[in-house]
């Protein structure tokens, strides 16, 4: 089945089985391996991407349901050479250790900050409640998101 | 994992609800299986854990209903009996949370939706999927029970309404025929500002299936309850409607209802079990405590 969709702002056309999981389409034919797979059943959030701006588990989305829609992955936030402020804050504040949960955390945090540019700690924790981390204990992740919100606020990058 | 055979399935989009029900009926008549795919948060997880299909078995056809306009209504319909809220089967939890009209007129639904899974699940999971999976632990179904929702289904034989009280017949069984598609649910809107309750007891706030959950909505006039609906998850083979508790709440001035009679009513209405998530005793304890607290909120004694 031909599926056309927008991935990180670029128009892409795929010829894939429609029930291929979005995560497999991203990591395979689309060559975007930033998105990680943890549990494969919607529990851990490692595979989180934005679908039309909302966070979803790409392990539970058939690519055929993404036709005509827009997908944002961690690669869409920034690159190694040009880290987005949110990514930079995860580095500076120890929000990433092994890094498996990090792409999903970043994408979930991005979704949060777009809608809620100045989140309370409770809002940050709710926004990241679907993302598990086995390394950091979460505190540093929450601090990274707080710092990113402040930075974005200063630069007027709040709502997208 | 059986994800490899999934890649040989077809995914179809029906051009209209009429075409969808016709296709479902045709295939059903020939003994073929059709999957209606909404958010996939139940169905895809089931696919992960099932054994691969034996060779030679025809694959089911999967029909994407997630964007079918007829299943996407979220609106107030005014009628003789007052205002009713229609929620299409393919409306997601996140849409319920974000809807101004739901927040204002049926806040129970918004509150419940905020406790389903986490945002990633709320952005995909639908009311129709929750109803069709028909788990006794389903949070959305508990809220619909409390609101005494009417369930609208359609097939080639036409559209009909199943009152919630006539829907569930046993563990994951219902009076909806296999070829009937869930279209929407409709609820008689409670008066503005009517008291409601949503309490979910689970291992943690997010991504946890209810050990017990209580949904409730009421209207109180001059110290008497005039409308009272409750739905409870995970205390019976079906979503519990707590008929004895309902009758008690409506039977006398609310201030005359005491804790002991509430406990007896709850005991008559639930039959919890021990399972991986909790025990019969703990569930019974929670069920009583939640109903007592809800009735106290409305003015009951103790
Ligand atoms: C990590 C995780 C956490 C979860 N947490 C919760 C929770 O806290 N509370 C809770 O209640 N549930 C929870 N769930 C379960 C699930 O998200 C809900 O039951 C959800 O409402 C299912 O909706 P869906 O659209 O994703 O269904 P799908 O998976 O698309 O479909 C489920 C079933 O419904 C059928 N169906 C779908 N639409 C229709 C229709 N219009 N007519 C007829 N049949 C239809 C499908 O054919 C399928 O059999 C969770 C799931 C996951 C993976
Ligand atoms: S891999 Fe998708 S939620 Fe865990
Ligand atoms: S940094 Fe290792 S899982 Fe989060």
């Amino acid at each position: 089945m031909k599926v056309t969709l927008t991935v990180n702002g670029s128009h892409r056309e795929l010829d894939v089985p429609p029930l291929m999981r979005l995560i497999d389409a991203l990591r395979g034919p689309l060559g975007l391996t930033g998105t990680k797979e943890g549990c494969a059943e919607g529990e851990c959030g490692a595979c989180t991407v934005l679908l039309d701006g909302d966070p979803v588990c790409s392990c539970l989305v058939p690519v055929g349901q993404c036709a005509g829609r827009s997908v944002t992955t961690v690669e869409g936030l920034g690159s190694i050479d040009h880290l987005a402020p949110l990514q930079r804050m995860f580095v500076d504040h120890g929000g990433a250790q092994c890094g498996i949960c990090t792409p999903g955390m970043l994408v979930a945090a991005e979704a949060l900050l777009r809608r809620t540019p100045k989140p309370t700690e409770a809002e940050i924790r709710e926004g990241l409640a679907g993302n598990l981390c086995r390394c950091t204990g979460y505190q540093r992740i929450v601090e990274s998101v707080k710092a990113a919100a402040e930075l974005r606020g200063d630069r007027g990058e709040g709502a997208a | 994992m059986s994800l490899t055979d999934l890649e040989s399935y077809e995914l179809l989009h029906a051009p209209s609800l009429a075409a969808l029900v016709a296709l479902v009926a045709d295939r059903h008549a020939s003994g073929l299986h059709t999957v209606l795919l909404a958010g996939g948060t139940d169905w895809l997880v089931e696919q992960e854990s099932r054994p691969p299909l034996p060779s030679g078995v025809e694959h089911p056809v999967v029909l994407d209903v997630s964007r079918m306009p007829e299943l996407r209504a979220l609106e107030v319909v005014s009628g003789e009996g007052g205002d009713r809220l229609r929620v299409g089967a393919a409306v997601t939890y996140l849409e319920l949370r974000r809807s101004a009209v739901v927040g204002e007129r049926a806040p129970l639904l918004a509150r419940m939706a905020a406790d389903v899974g986490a945002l990633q699940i709320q952005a995909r999971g639908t009311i129709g999927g929750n109803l069709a999976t028909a788990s006794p632990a389903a949070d959305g179904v508990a809220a619909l029970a409390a609101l005494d929702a009417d369930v609208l289904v359609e097939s080639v034989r036409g559209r009909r309404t199943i009152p919630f009280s006539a829907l569930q017949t046993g563990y994951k069984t219902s009076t909806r025929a296999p070829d009937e598609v869930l279209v929407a649910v409709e609820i008689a809107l409670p008066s503005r500002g009517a008291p409601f309750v949503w309490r979910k007891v689970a291992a943690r706030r997010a991504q946890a299936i209810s050990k017990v959950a209580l949904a409730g909505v009421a209207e109180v006039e001059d110290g008497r309850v005039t409308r009272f609906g409750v739905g409870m998850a995970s205390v019976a083979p079906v979503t519990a409607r707590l008929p004895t508790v309902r009758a008690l709440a409506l039977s006398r001035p609310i201030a005359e209802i005491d804790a002991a009679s509430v406990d007896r009513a709850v005991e008559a209405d639930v039959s919890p079990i021990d399972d991986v998530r909790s025990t019969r005793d703990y569930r019974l304890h929670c069920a009583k405590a939640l109903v007592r607290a809800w009735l106290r909120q409305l003015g009951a004694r103790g």
Side-chain angles (χ1 to χ4, degrees), chain A residues 6-8 10 12 22-36 49 58 71-76:
Chain A
T6 304
V7 182
N8 297 331
S10 309
R12 304 295 294 261
L22 177 58
I23 188 169
D24 297 327
L26 290 169
R27 293 181 54 87
L30 288 165
L32 296 168
T33 53
T35 303
K36 302 291 182 254
V49 300
S58 60
V71 174
T72 305
T73 68
V74 67
E75 289 92 341

Side-chain angles (χ1 to χ4, degrees), chain A residues 17-21 40-43 48 54-57 60-62 64-65 67 69 115 126-127 129-132, chain B residues 3 6-7 9 11 13 37-39 44-45 48 62 64 66-67 94 97-98 118-121 123-124 204 206-207:
Chain A
L19 284 171
M20 174 185 261
R21 302 176 310 164
E41 51 186 41
E43 299 274 350
T48 303
D54 289 322
V56 299
C57 299
L60 292 185
V61 178
Q65 283 189 320
R69 306 180 73 176
R115 290 200 149 251
E126 199 218 330
N131 296 74
L132 300 181
Chain B
L3 293 166
L6 261 192
E7 298 200 350
Y9 286 26
L11 178 69
H13 295 82
L37 181 68
L44 273 160
V45 174
E48 295 264 357
V62 182
D64 183 5
S66 65
R67 285 191 280 175
L94 199 52
R97 285 185 75 178
R98 287 180 183 161
L119 277 175
Q120 290 92 326
I121 301 301
R124 296 276 302 161
R204 69 180 186 108
Q207 304 290 53

Side-chain angles (χ1 to χ4, degrees), chain B residues 141-215:
Chain B
V141 183
L144 295 179
L147 289 159
D148 293 314
D150 281 329
V151 178
L152 274 55
V153 298
E154 188 162 319
S155 70
V156 283
R157 298 177 297 285
R159 187 173 286 202
R160 69 182 180 112
T161 298
I162 311 176
F164 190 90
S165 57
L167 181 70
Q168 301 186 313
T169 49
Y171 180 69
K172 295 196 174 183
T173 58
S174 84
T175 51
R176 180 170 65 92
D179 66 342
E180 280 180 320
V181 173
L182 289 162
V183 176
V185 295
E186 265 189 30
I187 58 174
L189 281 169
S191 57
R192 282 176 200 272
F196 73 94
V197 66
W198 171 255
R199 293 285 301 276
K200 174 165 171 172
V201 181
R204 69 180 186 108
R205 274 205 63 183
Q207 304 290 53
I209 305 291
S210 293
K211 296 175 191 223
V212 178
L214 172 69

